[in-house]
Amino acid sequence: MEGRSTVITTRKDQVSKINKMSSKRKPIKDIYIIIISLVLIMLIWEIFGRQINPIFASYPTAIFFAFFDLMEGGTLVTAFGQSVQPLAVGYLLAAVVGIPIGLLIGRYRIVESAINIYVIAGYATPLVALIPLFVLWFGLGFGVKVAIVFTLTIFPIIINTTDGVKAVPKTMIEVGTAFVASQSAIMRKIIIPATIPHIMTGLRLGVGKAVIAMVIAEFFTSISGLGGIIINSGNNFDTAKMFVPVIILMILGVGLTALVGKLESIVAPWQDKMTKKHE
Amino acid sequence: MANEKVHVRQISKEFIVSSKGIEDRITALQDVSFSVQEGEIIALTGTSGCGKTTMLRIIMGLENQSSGIVEVGGKQVTGPGYDRGMIFQHAELLPWRTALENVEFGLEVKGVSPQERREAAKYYLELVGLKDAMNHRPTQLSGGMKQRVGIARALAIDPDVLLMDEPFGALDAQTRETLQDELLKIHEQTKKTIIFVTHDLDEAVLLADKVVVMFPDPGRIHEIVDINIQRPRNDVIAIKGSDEFNQKRYYIWKALKTAASSTVGV
């Protein structure tokens, strides 16, 4: 029996060693594959892009030169500012308003009965359809962009926060009750920390929604910012120029999402594994 | 010893369970009465569904009884209080807090100053032998260590009565035995009154002064068995070999076995 158990343990050791080795090796391999893949796609894009009429498509080097073109006059920087400011304000407002609403809906049945239907309705409705109304209310400037970003972002934040509160195990709340914690102490010391991973998921999903909302807002309202460049370049059949803000928006979305992810591991370092499960 | 600490008087608890429109009245506890002297250890044991955990939760104030009275230190229980400290089956530590911060939890909620509660938490972590793991998060602790933190957390508010809901049930046999020894030591040091729920008859007889044997359908007390093993119970090996231990263990086991087979017969 002893012999057998040692065999089993050594085998386990080997398996864990192999796992460790492969997990160490993997990231390096991944990076190579990513680079090769990017280079290949760029090459293919460049070769085929050059064969097509520049009105219908563009190619990496043309976009690259268009980027410098736009940078020169300061157009791009100004547009970036015009876009990012309402994006940030609308997004932060959605977080500041949405998280408490989500916490209350998740925690109190009365609040849930009273307002959850509107949250579900708001999440399901294509809110883009309300933009004409928003224009009437907020005009064509900064305000309407903030309002559109806010409206499209707040619902995923609320819904994820609510889900998070509901996922808090009853026994965990009971610990608070057993130690005579008040409702507010249970909220602050148990429910909020336990819900942080879900809140972060909501915030991360919110980033994508917010960027979309911002571009749509710029299409339909003042035609400014990065969305404005897209529309104007499109109208001028300057496809290369049109791609520049598209790529910037893509980088912005990826960057902000990564930033929220980073924030998550700072705010909730204890639950890295659990949050990964939620994705 | 003559001081009565916990008095349970004619506690009944009924649930109404409705499934598919049919309402069913379930009597979880029927007319349960017992009392616990100061410094005593009492075990509640019985087959599943006998209401032992429900009884413990009523004493803690986490659940309401349908009728009857629970008194702790002469005061009627109407909800949770700092005179009772609860130890949960799966420790239920807060994963974002370190061991030390978990032990501080009760004191923090109570409004004790940060410095004072840190001191107290350190003292009790040392008492349960976890001084070195003070800054570890629950994910870094083994099951046994987690439950030690759970015990320290309950002790930290300095309650008169410790309530333990199958505290070692989720642990492996070796760890369970270590923690049983540990609990006996803690009891010698603190002289706390302890009420615990267990399935494990060895554990019940080894730790308790009285074993409350409960039967299900409806949950009720069958018998309260006195365990006359001298304290301090340091020599576990001698105790487990003794006639008193084995006779009482067999006696309780037989009672539960007969009850179980008669239920199956119905």
Side-chain angles (χ1 to χ4, degrees):
Chain A
M1 280 299 273
E2 268 183 356
R4 200 183 277 175
S5 69
T6 48
V7 168
I8 289 165
T9 50
T10 46
R11 224 183 247 168
K12 260 188 193 165
D13 285 348
Q14 278 172 355
V15 169
S16 67
K17 256 182 209 163
I18 290 163
N19 283 339
K20 267 181 204 161
M21 276 162 69
S22 61
S23 67
K24 260 184 193 168
R25 226 188 267 162
K26 225 179 174 182
I28 304 165
K29 252 189 181 172
D30 282 353
I31 285 167
Y32 284 135
I33 292 170
I34 289 168
I35 291 170
I36 292 166
S37 159
L38 275 173
V39 169
L40 266 175
I41 291 292
M42 288 294 173
L43 259 167
I44 294 166
W45 187 6
E46 184 79 29
I47 292 163
F48 283 92
R50 280 172 182 273
Q51 328 249 329
I52 299 167
N53 185 334
I55 291 171
F56 294 116
S58 193
Y59 45 92
T61 47
I63 296 165
F64 190 68
F65 290 124
F67 171 74
F68 282 103
D69 235 24
L70 283 168
M71 280 299 277
E72 236 173 283
T75 330
L76 196 60
V77 178
T78 318
F80 189 76
Q82 282 171 341
S83 291
V84 166
Q85 281 166 20
L87 176 76
V89 174
Y91 179 76
L92 290 177
L93 219 62
V96 168
V97 178
I99 293 167
I101 292 178
L103 290 172
L104 291 175
I105 294 176
R107 181 80 179 124
Y108 299 105
R109 204 135 327 132
I110 303 169
V111 183
E112 184 180 5
S113 310
I115 62 176
N116 202 36
I117 35 168
Y118 308 113
V119 174
I120 293 165
Y123 190 64
T125 309
L127 293 163
V128 181
L130 292 176
I131 290 180
L133 192 63
F134 276 34
V135 172
L136 289 174
W137 289 350
F138 300 102
L140 290 167
F142 183 78
V144 73
K145 286 190 192 176
V146 171
I148 293 167
V149 171
F150 175 84
T151 315
L152 261 73
T153 314
I154 192 165
F155 293 107
I157 293 178
I158 293 177
I159 285 172
N160 275 283
T161 308
T162 304
D163 285 352
V165 175
K166 290 193 169 170
V168 178
K170 267 188 188 161
T171 43
M172 206 182 255
I173 296 169
E174 220 159 55
V175 170
T177 315
F179 286 94
V180 209
S182 63
Q183 281 293 317
S184 91
I186 288 176
M187 185 58 107
R188 281 180 289 117
K189 292 179 194 295
I190 295 173
I191 291 175
I192 293 177
T195 308
I196 281 176
H198 279 87
I199 294 177
M200 286 302 179
T201 307
L203 289 177
R204 215 169 17 196
L205 293 173
V207 167
K209 289 259 183 182
V211 173
I212 293 169
M214 181 197 81
V215 177
I216 292 171
E218 284 168 346
F219 282 2
F220 284 94
T221 60
S222 60
I223 317 221
S224 61
L226 295 172
I229 295 179
I230 295 173
I231 290 283
N232 289 331
S233 310
N235 289 343
N236 295 334
F237 304 108
D238 194 345
T239 310
K241 233 173 217 172
M242 199 197 81
F243 266 106
V244 175
V246 170
I247 287 164
I248 289 173
L249 286 169
M250 182 195 73
I251 294 168
L252 186 72
V254 171
L256 287 176
T257 307
L259 198 75
V260 175
K262 191 89 186 161
L263 193 72
E264 183 173 354
S265 55
I266 294 167
V267 186
W270 64 92
Q271 263 174 343
D272 255 355
K273 282 173 201 161
M274 287 173 84
T275 46
K276 266 172 197 154
K277 257 187 239 161
H278 290 308
E279 276 179 42
Chain B
M1 281 297 271
N3 222 338
E4 195 178 88
K5 199 77 212 171
V6 181
H7 196 154
V8 176
R9 271 192 295 183
Q10 293 176 302
I11 289 291
S12 294
K13 169 88 180 174
E14 284 174 350
F15 295 99
I16 290 172
V17 183
S18 60
S19 65
K20 291 175 187 169
I22 303 159
E23 285 196 347
D24 230 346
R25 189 177 284 261
I26 291 171
T27 309
L29 290 169
Q30 192 178 59
D31 209 13
V32 172
S33 300
F34 63 93
S35 60
V36 188
Q37 306 297 312
E38 187 169 355
E40 261 187 336
I41 303 183
I42 300 291
L44 304 178
T45 195
T47 45
S48 326
C50 71
K52 52 193 190 299
T53 293
T54 308
M55 190 59 244
L56 193 82
R57 289 169 58 83
I58 290 172
I59 299 172
M60 188 62 231
L62 289 174
E63 256 177 70
N64 294 320
Q65 63 270 38
S66 305
S67 64
I69 290 171
V70 175
E71 283 174 353
V72 173
K75 274 192 289 180
Q76 199 173 320
V77 169
T78 53
Y82 292 112
D83 52 348
R84 286 149 288 148
M86 182 88 178
I87 292 154
F88 294 85
Q89 188 176 0
H90 299 286
E92 299 302 340
L93 304 181
L94 304 177
W96 51 88
R97 287 177 173 239
T98 62
L100 189 71
E101 287 164 351
N102 264 292
V103 177
E104 278 183 61
F105 180 76
L107 297 169
E108 195 180 312
V109 168
K110 201 176 173 184
V112 175
S113 75
Q115 205 189 337
E116 215 175 310
R117 66 182 187 236
R118 188 131 294 198
E119 291 290 306
K122 275 184 189 163
Y123 171 81
Y124 285 106
L125 265 186
E126 198 170 354
L127 187 74
V128 299
L130 274 186
K131 204 187 173 196
D132 296 336
M134 207 160 71
N135 295 318
H136 290 192
R137 289 241 162 78
T139 45
Q140 297 168 286
L141 301 174
S142 69
M145 288 162 104
K146 278 183 202 162
Q147 200 48 284
R148 282 166 195 261
V149 176
I151 293 168
R153 179 175 64 186
L155 284 170
I157 58 167
D158 197 20
D160 297 332
V161 183
L162 280 182
L163 301 170
M164 310 173 89
D165 182 13
E166 294 187 45
F168 312 135
L171 305 175
D172 64 84
Q174 277 76 30
T175 314
R176 192 184 308 164
E177 286 187 5
T178 319
L179 276 174
Q180 287 164 359
D181 293 351
E182 202 74 31
L183 188 71
L184 283 170
K185 274 183 211 150
I186 290 168
H187 178 249
E188 285 305 324
Q189 263 180 279
T190 61
K191 298 287 176 200
K192 296 282 180 205
T193 309
I194 299 172
I195 303 174
F196 74 101
V197 167
T198 186
H199 273 111
D200 182 344
L201 297 184
D202 278 37
E203 184 170 283
V205 176
L206 176 68
L207 301 178
D209 296 292
K210 285 183 212 155
V211 178
V212 177
V213 183
M214 295 177 76
F215 281 2
D217 300 319
R220 63 194 188 277
I221 293 181
H222 168 67
E223 192 181 351
I224 299 176
V225 180
D226 283 309
I227 310 295
N228 298 311
I229 302 171
Q230 278 282 308
R231 288 193 195 277
R233 298 180 184 174
N234 296 332
D235 193 350
V236 177
I237 297 169
I239 292 169
K240 287 200 170 176
S242 71
D243 288 345
E244 173 71 7
F245 179 90
N246 286 299
Q247 276 164 13
K248 288 289 161 66
R249 194 201 174 286
Y250 179 71
Y251 180 79
I252 297 165
W253 174 80
K254 200 171 75 178
L256 291 173
K257 189 77 180 170
T258 336
S261 51
S262 73
T263 321
V264 172
V266 174

